[in-house]
């Protein structure tokens, strides 16, 4: 529980950032983590609250008071014990310690009338020290079961499931359609938020535990029954059919991400320079990794395809407008600033939320409040309650349209009884050389589910419940689904939870019972 009076003696201490002018010059992480003494002080703030709401607020149910107390105690043995506690519930705390929004802190009892314990920063400190000290080691199974499991999709859900199943003794093969393992961790999260060396370390650990990785392999197809192919990142060199997987493996777990981006079908959408965020962000991650960009894969029109052949989508010197106010939009802002954009503006359809939540009303749940990210602080104009009506083509001096975006037209909106109402007289035209659509994701690639004949729910996700008995099983024999493939767009920490729980479900299906944690 930390120190009995710690929450009265110590203030919350935030992790630091490198100065903006320095961090904009590279693609490296810039968060300055807590040192051992600072982490000890923050651990001391964990109070004897009786019912640790932080644990239930955390999707993986991290045993937060225990590792806070161990960090407060402070010996090397205590820190080594802290990573063991953390790994009991979370396979990859280096991911969540960097990119999780920390719903555990919103649920912290201290957060009722004070600043919450810095749980995320303590988690970050524990796992970084554990790697530095060599405490993170492979844990191969002592006994092999002889069962073969295919995991399709190498994001956080697939990685967590594969590791758990390998440790249970199964022969696990993890399939990924891109050339590198990691899914949206690899291609959706910028390196300045999470460097990909963290994924690579885990891959080596999992290889030592017996997981076989097969990157560059597309399972099924990306082309749906309607004949359309979604704009998703894929550089697969090989294709394996759903029938092959079901024939060769004793169980198949589908853990692909929610990659189908929400579109904005307004006039001018076909213009060059209007891109999904998940066309823009993977480009930069591939460049940082030293990968060659695929030709003609980044646009929504012939003009876009032509520009892709000339190289990556760049914001350099451009007036950039990001449509969508969430984390993906924030990532586009940070990436555009590092490109050297002339200006960056972010639109949000909803009204501006309050700067401070009504804690007595919402605690211990996740509050709606204004959140300003490190990318916003690097330079961004934010506009709320605004809708885009049209993308306008740029013209040359003779008035001839160039086939690329040059501006967009908007209108302010109000929300009345849950309905969006345009405000008369608020139309405005904005200069825009690059428009990035970051309005969320509508679900997984439907063609993959169709290839397995998996039934979908009303939102297009794989239909499967999460109860202890029969959880994560689809309507197709020996085919399971977890993560965004089952629940839709969500957090990394929720994906890890579902991957772990699905691994137990698969293990029970194969062996009749399971010792894996749920």
């Amino acid at each position: 529980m930390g120190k009995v009076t710690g929450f009265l003696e110590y203030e919350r201490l935030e992790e630091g950032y490198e100065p903006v002018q320095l961090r904009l010059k590279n693609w490296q992480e810039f968060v300055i983590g807590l040192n051992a003494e600072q982490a000890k002080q923050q651990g001391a703030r964990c109070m004897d609250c009786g019912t640790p709401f932080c644990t239930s607020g955390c999707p993986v149910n991290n045993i937060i008071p225990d590792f806070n107390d161990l960090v407060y105690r402070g010996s090397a043995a205590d820190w080594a014990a802290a990573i063991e506690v953390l790994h009991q519930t979370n396979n990859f705390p280096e991911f969540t310690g960097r990119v999780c929004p920390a719903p555990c802190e919103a649920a912290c009892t201290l957060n009722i009338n004070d600043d919450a314990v810095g749980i995320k920063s303590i988690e970050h400190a524990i796992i970084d020290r554990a790697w530095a000290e060599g405490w993170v080691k492979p844990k191969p199974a002592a006994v092999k079961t002889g069962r073969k499991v295919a995991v399709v999709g190498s994001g956080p859900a697939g990685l967590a499931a594969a590791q758990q199943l390998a440790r249970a003794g199964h022969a696990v093969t993890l399939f990924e359609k891109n050339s590198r393992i990691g899914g949206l961790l690899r291609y959706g999260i910028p390196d300045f938020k999470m460097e990909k060396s963290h994924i690579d370390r885990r891959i080596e650990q999992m290889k030592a535990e017996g997981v076989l990785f097969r990157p560059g392999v597309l399972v099924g197809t990306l082309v749906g029954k309607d004949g359309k192919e979604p704009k998703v990142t894929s550089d697969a060199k090989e294709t394996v059919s759903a029938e092959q997987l079901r024939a060769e493996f004793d169980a198949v777990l589908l853990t692909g991400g929610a990659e189908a981006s929400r579109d904005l079908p307004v006039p001018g959408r076909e213009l060059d320079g209007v891109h999904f965020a998940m066309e823009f962000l993977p480009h930069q991650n591939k460049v940082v990794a030293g990968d060659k960009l695929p030709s003609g894969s980044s646009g929504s029109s012939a003009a876009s395809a032509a520009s892709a052949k000339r190289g990556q989508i760049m914001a350099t010197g451009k007036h950039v407008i990001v449509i969508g106010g969430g984390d993906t939009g924030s990532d586009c802002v940070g990436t555009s600033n590092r490109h050297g954009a002339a200006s960056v503006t972010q639109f949000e359809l909803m009204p501006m939320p309050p700067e401070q939540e009504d804690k007595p009303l919402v605690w211990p749940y996740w509050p709606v409040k204004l959140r300003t990210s490190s990318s916003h602080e690097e330079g961004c104009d934010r506009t709320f309650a605004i809708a885009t009506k049209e993308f306008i083509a740029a013209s040359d001096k003779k008035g001839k349209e160039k086939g690329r975006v040059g501006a967009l037209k908007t209108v302010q909106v109000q929300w009345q009884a849950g309905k969006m109402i345009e405000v008369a007289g608020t139309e405005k035209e904005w200069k825009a050389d690059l428009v990035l659509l970051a309005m969320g994701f509508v679900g997984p690639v439907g063609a993959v589910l169709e290839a397995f004949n998996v039934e979908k729910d009303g939102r297009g996700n794989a239909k499967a419940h999460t109860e202890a008995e029969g959880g994560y099983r689809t309507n197709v024999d020996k085919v399971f689904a977890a993560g965004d493939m089952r629940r839709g767009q969500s957090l990394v920490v929720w994906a890890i939870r579902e991957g772990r729980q699905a691994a137990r479900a698969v293990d029970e299906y194969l062996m009749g019972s399971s010792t894996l944690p749920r």
Side-chain angles (χ1 to χ4, degrees):
M1 58 157 281
K3 188 177 182 180
V4 176
T5 57
F7 70 98
L8 297 173
E9 298 177 31
Y10 306 119
E11 298 293 328
R12 176 184 170 99
L13 178 64
E14 301 285 353
E15 293 179 311
Y17 293 157
E18 289 183 358
V20 171
Q21 63 269 26
L22 292 181
R23 68 192 198 225
L24 287 181
K25 296 178 180 179
N26 59 65
W27 299 94
Q28 299 166 358
E29 292 178 11
F30 54 82
V31 173
I32 302 170
L34 304 183
N35 61 35
E37 186 58 35
Q38 291 170 330
K40 174 185 174 73
Q41 187 180 102
Q42 291 306 292
R45 297 186 72 239
C46 189
M47 58 195 294
D48 187 10
C49 57
T51 301
F53 285 88
C54 56
T55 295
S56 57
C58 172
V60 293
N61 304 125
N62 278 337
I63 312 169
I64 293 164
D66 289 31
F67 66 66
N68 282 348
D69 181 61
L70 288 163
V71 169
Y72 165 65
R73 292 174 184 272
S75 71
D78 290 321
W79 278 82
I83 189 57
E84 292 301 316
V85 171
L86 192 47
H87 271 152
Q88 286 180 32
T89 54
N90 186 352
N91 295 66
F92 313 119
E94 62 269 47
F95 303 164
T96 51
R98 284 168 167 80
V99 301
C100 185
C104 56
E105 295 186 9
C108 174
T109 302
L110 192 55
N111 192 45
I112 296 174
N113 61 355
D114 200 346
D115 293 328
V117 174
I119 301 167
K120 179 179 174 181
S121 62
I122 295 172
E123 177 182 354
H124 187 179
I126 293 170
I127 184 58
D128 279 9
R129 178 166 179 178
W131 279 110
E133 298 280 0
W135 296 334
V136 183
K137 299 181 183 297
K139 296 181 179 179
V143 178
K144 301 296 184 181
T145 66
R147 305 291 200 277
K148 297 171 60 179
V149 182
V151 180
V152 181
S154 70
L159 288 170
Q163 185 167 62
Q164 293 295 95
L165 288 165
R167 290 176 175 179
H170 304 302
V172 180
T173 303
L174 184 57
F175 293 87
E176 167 59 51
K177 68 182 184 304
N178 288 294
S179 59
R180 294 178 185 264
I181 298 296
L184 291 177
L185 284 172
R186 173 79 65 178
Y187 294 107
I189 298 174
D191 286 73
F192 58 80
K193 286 179 66 175
M194 191 186 83
E195 294 176 10
K196 305 315 175 227
S197 58
H198 304 299
I199 304 173
D200 297 334
R201 283 191 303 199
R202 286 294 181 179
I203 291 172
E204 293 307 310
Q205 179 197 32
M206 292 170 66
K207 284 180 179 178
E209 293 171 345
V211 176
L212 174 63
F213 292 94
R214 292 193 61 188
V217 179
L218 173 65
V219 174
T221 178
L222 295 178
V223 181
K225 292 180 179 179
D226 58 3
K228 296 181 179 179
E229 181 175 345
K231 293 289 180 181
V232 299
T233 305
S234 176
D235 46 25
K237 306 296 184 184
E238 181 184 349
T239 300
V240 175
S241 70
E243 291 75 18
Q244 281 178 274
L245 251 60
R246 291 189 64 205
E248 294 178 15
F249 292 87
D250 299 298
V252 177
L253 175 57
L254 305 178
T255 57
E259 296 182 88
S261 300
R262 180 173 284 107
D263 207 347
L264 185 59
V266 298
R269 172 62 182 91
E270 75 286 349
L271 292 171
D272 185 21
V274 181
H275 301 276
F276 288 125
M278 285 306 296
E279 297 174 276
F280 177 66
L281 296 174
H283 267 200
Q284 184 58 54
N285 286 14
K286 284 176 174 286
V287 169
V288 172
D291 293 346
K292 183 179 179 181
L293 296 178
S295 297
S297 66
S298 66
S300 55
S301 66
S304 296
S307 69
K309 290 179 180 178
R310 295 192 295 270
Q312 75 176 108
I313 302 169
M314 294 294 294
T316 309
K318 296 179 180 178
H319 296 282
V320 180
I321 292 184
V322 179
I323 302 178
D327 289 340
T328 304
S330 173
D331 293 344
C332 290
V333 170
T335 301
S336 297
N337 280 323
R338 282 162 179 76
H339 281 180
S343 68
V344 183
T345 304
Q346 187 175 25
F347 291 168
E348 168 57 57
L349 186 65
M350 302 302 292
M352 181 169 21
E355 292 189 13
Q356 181 63 51
E357 74 272 32
D358 186 349
K359 289 186 177 182
L361 179 65
V362 300
W363 181 89
Y365 302 108
W366 183 250
V368 174
K369 66 177 182 179
L370 182 65
R371 301 177 190 276
T372 299
S373 72
S374 57
S375 292
H376 292 140
E377 293 171 348
E378 292 165 0
C380 174
D381 292 324
R382 303 166 74 183
T383 301
F384 294 85
I386 189 169
T388 302
K389 301 283 289 180
E390 180 184 0
F391 300 114
I392 302 170
S395 301
D396 61 19
K397 294 181 180 179
K398 296 181 179 180
K400 183 179 179 181
E401 293 185 357
K402 298 180 178 180
R404 60 177 174 80
V405 70
L408 56 76
K409 187 180 296 183
T410 64
V411 63
Q412 295 294 136
V413 298
Q414 292 179 344
W415 292 86
Q416 300 176 5
K419 293 184 178 180
M420 187 179 75
I421 308 296
E422 295 184 3
V423 179
T426 62
E427 291 81 4
K428 182 178 178 179
E429 192 170 300
W430 304 69
K431 183 172 178 58
D433 306 308
L434 176 63
V435 179
L436 301 171
L437 306 181
M439 303 174 296
F441 303 88
V442 296
V445 177
V448 176
L449 298 177
E450 292 164 6
F452 283 91
N453 294 315
V454 168
E455 184 180 356
K456 302 176 186 178
D457 64 16
R459 298 184 298 147
N461 305 318
K463 188 175 181 180
H465 66 76
T466 61
E467 300 300 321
E469 185 174 346
Y472 297 95
R473 294 183 66 171
T474 70
N475 60 301
V476 181
D477 183 42
K478 72 181 184 182
V479 177
F480 296 73
D484 288 5
M485 185 70 80
R486 190 205 67 82
R487 68 179 288 121
Q489 174 187 351
S490 193
L491 303 175
V492 169
V493 67
W494 272 107
I496 293 172
R497 171 196 174 104
E498 294 223 344
R500 288 171 61 87
Q501 291 191 344
R504 178 183 172 94
V506 172
D507 190 35
E508 286 180 329
Y509 168 78
L510 295 174
M511 308 303 294
S513 63
S514 178
T515 58
L516 290 175
R518 176 172 163 77

